[in-house]
Amino acid sequence: MKIRNFVSLEWKQFSRSSYFQKGLAIKILLAFGALYFLAMAIFLGIGVVFGLEEAFPEKDPFKVLNNYLIYYVLGDLAFRYFLQQLPVMNIKPLLILPIKRSAVVRFLLFKTNLSFFNILPMFFFVPIAGVLLFKSYDVIGTLVWLLSFICIGFSINYANFLINKTKVYFFIILGLVATLLALNFYGIIDIASYFGTAFYAIYTDLYWILIPMILLYLLFKINYNFIFKQFYIDGAIVEKASDVKSYNLSFLDRFGKLSIFLKNDVKMILRNARPKQVLLTSFFFLFYGLIFYTQDMYSEIPVILAFASMFITGGFLLTFGQLVPSWDSEYYKLMMSQNIPYRQYLESKLYLMIFATLISTILSLPYLYFGWDIYAMILAGGLFNIGLNTFITLYGGALNRVPVELNQKAKAFSNTNGFSPAQLLISLPKIFGPMLLFYIPYKLISFDAGLIVLGLSGVVGLLLKNVFLNKIEKVYQKGKYKTIAAFDEKK
């Protein structure tokens, strides 16, 4: 079976699905984002050599660049691990047809090469090579150096495939990276200088290109053999049995009738792949402030700090909360057929988001290091999230009718399963609301006035809790059957 046949099958599967129009709209939005990053990569690729030449006038900018490329390699590996979506293919129908397994495995690995994460580095390194040729560097050496980093990029791609599929390779690669960083930290070796010399040697001594080429071949073969050994019908359709874990969640009984919903949500998060990934994502939001609070330029723009404070405490709300009620899509019809008040369902989601925001606020205590003003802003942002953003998020859920597959093994950062264009619109007041509430009194009165207004907005929201929930409940009730019908559609 030729590659074009596989490509034809993939296209038919995508274009004939009931999810085609929604999936196409999402892919168009992602395409614009991809074009932006490609343009930025070209800009950086063209400017990096000139920038290093200006920063280090007494040194060869190409040598300086090679010294920093090891950090690019390590960063690319970490970046792909968290963001790169591995390709999937419906192989069950192919297993009963007279098609060579080797052909299917090769095509699956070929799909990984078409990833945006493999294309993006080329838009960075090709302009660098163009600038080097413009500056009269050796033509053959530059092209061989470029080819070596293309091989390294594809090697990172196959390494990422392995560490996502097996824990053994994950710990092997993690151990190697940790060892390198430890050796560098304790001054045993300077990895920047060591690898910089090795990368520059590819330019001066062309035979060193064999190392990245052999590495690429070995990683491809390891991936090929790993997939091929498991490529049989029993391995594809029989899932390995595992022990069922039980959780003692009796502490939630204090919430009365809401405890049933809260226990279900906690169990869902602990037992399923997608919610676990989203929970991990929300934890990384706690470090969002390090981007802004460590830069002097942002201290002069307090409205940007208000934006950051909302993100620090609102990680769970912005990741898990925006997919309400999609988390329950697989059993939503059954749940709606029961004698369950919608109000209790919505209140349980509200309390879950409030509790998570309170935990994030407590965990953000280390930001006191940057001063009381910074932490006061985080507290004000937390109150806004609790008192207003939770209700805005719940209201947005009424417009979100895209199902979520709980055990879909996809990257939480890049997974668009459950994504709806309505989320983009409903996110605007969540992002710009705290900025406006802080900025207007800050500009007219003082910094403290901005903090007070931002914090009081959350308190007012809590006082109007019943009013907001009544309005939101009516919206959910009105679109109940449309939501059930939408959740019945499978991607």
Side-chain angles (χ1 to χ4, degrees), residues 1 119-120 160 193 291 301 307 384 421 432 450:
M1 194 171 185
I119 298 172
L120 183 63
N160 179 55
S193 176
I291 300 174
I301 316 175
F307 165 80
F384 174 84
F432 294 106

Side-chain angles (χ1 to χ4, degrees), residues 311-344:
F311 266 80
I312 291 170
T313 57
F316 185 83
L317 183 144
L318 295 171
T319 54
F320 182 90
Q322 72 171 350
L323 294 180
V324 173
S326 293
W327 292 117
D328 306 306
S329 59
E330 295 187 0
Y331 48 88
Y332 197 76
K333 182 188 291 186
L334 173 63
M335 188 167 61
M336 291 297 105
S337 67
Q338 308 298 311
N339 186 22
I340 298 174
Y342 235 133
R343 177 62 172 265
Q344 291 181 10

Side-chain angles (χ1 to χ4, degrees), residues 278-323:
V278 171
L279 183 64
L280 177 63
T281 306
S282 67
F283 174 75
F284 285 113
F285 274 73
L286 286 170
F287 302 96
Y288 200 83
L290 297 177
I291 300 174
F292 297 93
Y293 302 149
T294 57
Q295 304 293 325
D296 293 336
M297 59 181 291
Y298 294 118
S299 62
E300 300 175 0
I301 316 175
V303 68
I304 300 297
L305 301 184
F307 165 80
S309 69
M310 186 272 298
F311 266 80
I312 291 170
T313 57
F316 185 83
L317 183 144
L318 295 171
T319 54
F320 182 90
Q322 72 171 350
L323 294 180

Side-chain angles (χ1 to χ4, degrees), residues 25-58:
I26 293 170
K27 283 178 169 51
I28 290 173
L29 290 174
L30 293 177
F32 283 111
L35 289 174
Y36 168 78
F37 284 108
L38 292 176
M40 289 298 296
I42 294 173
F43 175 78
L44 289 173
I46 294 174
V48 66
V49 175
F50 294 106
L52 291 174
E53 191 175 39
E54 184 175 346
F56 304 96
E58 72 286 355

